[in-house]
């Protein structure tokens, strides 16, 4: 008997939150389950008003049999809606608002709400999601990005060009959401050129921007995945017409 060794196929889909209420509802349910599984009571009932916010873009990982197995949000800051990390940190360090303020005028987004379902763990899905969030940042209007991540995952945003926000907390670090978890506030000061990203990640992110609809084999945890990227978003800062023309030319050449 022949055993199928082909990579598992998943889809990474990006969308504006208000346009996909059913996917948002599934995101909320699955995220809550993951938080419950990890016994994080402070975050079990987060503010889910982002699902109606046009300044919020969502990326989900969809498995053909297991359904939604991961997700992340790209939340843009506005005068009416501070970033989720600012609201989380302000009670521990009120200066977080002042620290983020210089980045807001040019467009500041936060990669937040990252989760990976236990039924599809250890495949590197969080790595793919955080990379994709950085890839769509400029097209969504975020020339700068922030994140608030557990210290054991810090290497991934570092590779994408994020730096510790050392002016808050203990060089950017806080015990959050529980005393046993150390989390780091980080900032990516330039999501367009990504000068602080590794060469490998910069090339990957630029590829996703040039061709937001593509299929590629990814192995973020050593397990090969056949990933369909469907991550087009409405452009605000960047004219992506040339990107579409490149894609059309590539398809013509392939045929």
């Amino acid at each position: 008997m022949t055993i199928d060794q082909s990579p598992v196929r998943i889809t990474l889909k990006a969308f504006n939150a208000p346009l996909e209420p059913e996917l948002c509802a599934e995101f909320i349910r699955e995220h809550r389950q993951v938080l419950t599984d990890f016994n994080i009571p402070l975050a079990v009932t987060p503010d889910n008003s982002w699902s109606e916010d046009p300044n919020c873009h969502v990326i989900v990982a969809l498995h053909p049999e297991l359904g939604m197995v991961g997700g992340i949000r790209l939340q843009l800051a506005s005068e009416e809606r501070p970033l989720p990390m600012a609201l989380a940190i302000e009670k521990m360090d009120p200066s977080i608002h002042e620290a983020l303020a210089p980045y807001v005028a040019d467009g500041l987004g936060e990669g937040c709400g990252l989760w990976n379902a236990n039924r599809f763990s250890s495949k590197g899905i969080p790595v793919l999601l955080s990379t994709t969030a950085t890839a769509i940042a400029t097209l969504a209007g975020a020339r700068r990005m922030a994140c608030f991540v557990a210290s054991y995952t810090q290497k991934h945003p570092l590779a994408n060009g994020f730096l510790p926000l050392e002016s808050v907390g203990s060089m950017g670090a806080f015990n959050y959401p529980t005393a046993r978890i150390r989390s780091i506030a980080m900032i990516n000061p330039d999501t367009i050129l990504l000068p602080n990203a590794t060469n490998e990640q910069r090339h990957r992110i630029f590829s996703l921007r040039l061709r937001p609809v593509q299929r590629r084999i990814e192995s973020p945890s050593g397990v090969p995945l056949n990933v369909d990227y469907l991550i087009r978003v409405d452009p605000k800062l960047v004219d992506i017409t040339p990107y579409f023309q490149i894609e059309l030319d590539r398809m013509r050449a392939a045929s």
Side-chain angles (χ1 to χ4, degrees), residues 35 80 248:
L35 295 172
E80 300 78 19
L248 289 173

Side-chain angles (χ1 to χ4, degrees), residues 151-164:
S151 58
Y152 54 83
T153 66
Q154 184 182 7
K155 64 180 180 180
H156 303 309
L158 280 172
N160 290 332
F162 287 75
L163 304 171

